[in-house]
Amino acid sequence: MLSDIDLNPQTLQPYFVIPQLQCLLTGTDTNTFQQLSEYASKLPWLNVMGKVINTREARHYLQEFDIDSLFWDAVTVTEEEMESFLKKKGDKVLTIVVASPEELAACNFKCDVFSFLRKPVSFEKFFNALSYAKTYLHSTANKSVSIPVDY
């Protein structure tokens, strides 16, 4: 029966490894990114690699670390800076823009943004965006997870 299966991560560890998603927070809105950091601490498969305030610092992190996802505060950079950065970053890094409704209305990015989160960001929206990002990244990498079944 399904109810008899122990889904404790420590019990499942010998069978498969849950890959960590590495993310970078980029922006100057300390309240929003403090909230996102708190949300991230609740997800064992998410690792915040750093918090930066501009594209120059973000570019450094992307060169030095294996970053999977970027959270951008929409007011941190101009549209031109964002577009230039996103075109150079490569396809592997998924970008999630965090913005107020007014900021979202003003966003007119002409390049790929994986997701938009409206401020204030709820844990549910944060979790859903990252879960989808994680699923997308792992499916595009053609990685499959095998879970042994004991008959």
Side-chain angles (χ1 to χ4, degrees):
M1 272 185 99
L2 187 59
S3 61
D4 296 333
I5 297 173
D6 183 3
L7 295 178
N8 181 328
Q10 282 76 24
T11 305
L12 293 174
Q13 187 65 32
Y15 298 105
F16 67 95
V17 176
I18 300 172
Q20 288 257 316
L21 191 64
Q22 311 298 329
C23 79
L24 180 65
L25 305 178
T26 307
T28 56
D29 184 343
T30 55
N31 292 332
T32 296
F33 288 110
Q34 177 63 33
Q35 182 181 41
L36 295 182
S37 293
E38 289 173 14
Y39 291 164
S41 69
K42 296 177 182 180
L43 303 176
W45 46 267
L46 180 64
N47 184 25
V48 177
M49 296 297 291
K51 300 171 196 165
V52 298
I53 61 170
N54 58 43
T55 56
R56 183 174 34 86
E57 291 178 358
R59 202 169 278 117
H60 167 74
Y61 267 84
L62 288 175
Q63 291 170 350
E64 296 294 320
F65 302 101
D66 189 23
I67 304 291
D68 299 306
S69 59
L70 287 168
F71 282 89
W72 281 98
D73 183 5
V75 298
T76 301
V77 294
T78 65
E79 289 180 35
E80 293 81 20
E81 287 175 316
M82 175 71 88
E83 288 177 17
S84 172
F85 182 83
L86 292 176
K87 287 177 185 174
K88 293 177 185 175
K89 71 167 176 51
D91 292 333
K92 184 183 178 287
V93 180
L94 302 179
T95 302
I96 300 169
V97 174
V98 181
S100 68
E102 297 81 22
E103 294 161 356
L104 281 176
C107 288
N108 188 25
F109 302 125
K110 294 177 180 70
C111 49
D112 293 335
V113 171
F114 185 74
S115 184
F116 289 87
L117 293 178
R118 191 174 72 180
K119 294 178 188 175
V121 179
S122 70
F123 178 75
E124 179 182 7
K125 297 286 184 186
F126 176 80
F127 178 80
N128 288 342
L130 281 168
S131 294
Y132 184 63
K134 183 177 179 221
T135 301
Y136 176 81
L137 284 169
H138 294 297
S139 68
T140 59
N142 294 323
K143 294 180 180 175
S144 61
V145 176
S146 298
I147 302 175
V149 178
D150 187 14
Y151 291 101

